[in-house]
Amino acid sequence: MIFRREPLHQRLAREGGLTENAGEDTRAPWDKAGIHGVHRPREWDEVATVEAEVAGKRATFVVLDDDRIVIEEGPDDVESLADALSLDPPYRAEAVRRSEDVWAVAARSIEVVELPGVDGTELELTRRAGERTFVVDGERRFGSIPVLERDGDHTIRARRLDGDLWETEASLL
């Protein structure tokens, strides 16, 4: 009689307990609960609700250091929405009407710089491996803006807020 051995992969699976209870979920416990990946970064520094008689359904605005308000979208009378926040300026805020007179307002701190004599509405300055790229409104240009320079590999994006004031955002590469 010829003796037939069990294949190695089947024996290891059986000994490892992988063939028993075929209906059992063998995934790691954190995967069973759906917990995986990296958490989402916080979008807002402060969120508040306020009762206010403001026209419209949405508002987007920026509060500057001198308490000036730059309206980007929505009604012009957003002072009561800005007063609901205790965040120190400058910050960008979005407000959404929740009911007839209740608004939800969320804000995050921003960096604002003054760039006199700079044209365009959007800037992007990228520095990688010693090479610098400067883009104004989607068009590549020569030169740079020293105020926007940072050490290391980075990308700086700037959007014009009002006059010579620009909102900047820096990202490391």
Side-chain angles (χ1 to χ4, degrees):
M1 172 164 140
I2 299 177
F3 181 75
R4 183 165 181 195
R5 283 192 210 177
E6 179 181 23
L8 179 60
H9 70 281
Q10 289 179 351
R11 183 174 61 96
L12 290 174
R14 181 180 44 76
E15 289 175 0
L18 296 177
T19 58
E20 300 175 273
N21 300 327
E24 183 180 339
D25 191 357
T26 58
R27 292 181 296 171
W30 58 83
D31 196 30
K32 290 179 187 177
I35 302 169
H36 52 78
V38 179
H39 67 85
R40 203 168 50 169
R42 182 179 65 190
E43 186 173 353
W44 305 109
D45 293 328
E46 183 178 354
V47 178
T49 57
V50 62
E51 289 188 23
E53 293 183 20
V54 178
K57 294 182 180 180
R58 294 183 59 85
T60 305
F61 56 94
V62 175
V63 177
L64 300 172
D65 283 328
D66 59 1
D67 289 329
R68 266 189 310 153
I69 298 177
V70 178
I71 308 289
E72 292 187 342
E73 176 188 342
D76 292 335
D77 57 342
V78 297
E79 290 83 9
S80 58
L81 302 176
D83 289 342
L85 299 167
S86 61
L87 195 62
D88 291 330
Y91 61 83
R92 171 175 294 284
E94 293 183 25
V96 178
R97 181 185 297 276
R98 290 296 181 202
S99 67
E100 191 169 320
D101 60 347
V102 175
W103 287 75
V105 186
R108 69 178 163 278
S109 295
I110 60 172
E111 183 181 340
V112 175
V113 296
E114 188 170 353
L115 302 174
V118 176
D119 61 338
T121 57
E122 291 186 3
L123 308 174
E124 184 175 295
L125 177 64
T126 302
R127 180 176 166 195
R128 183 173 182 96
E131 184 178 319
R132 184 176 296 125
T133 306
F134 182 51
V135 178
V136 178
D137 292 336
E139 295 181 14
R140 198 166 179 171
R141 299 234 180 126
F142 289 105
S144 181
I145 299 175
V147 175
L148 298 180
E149 292 286 340
R150 305 282 195 279
D151 291 332
D153 293 346
H154 62 271
T155 295
I156 308 292
R157 290 182 185 86
R159 289 188 334 168
R160 185 183 300 275
L161 292 173
D162 185 39
D164 291 337
L165 296 177
W166 295 73
E167 174 184 354
T168 63
E169 179 182 351
S171 301
L172 290 175
L173 299 178

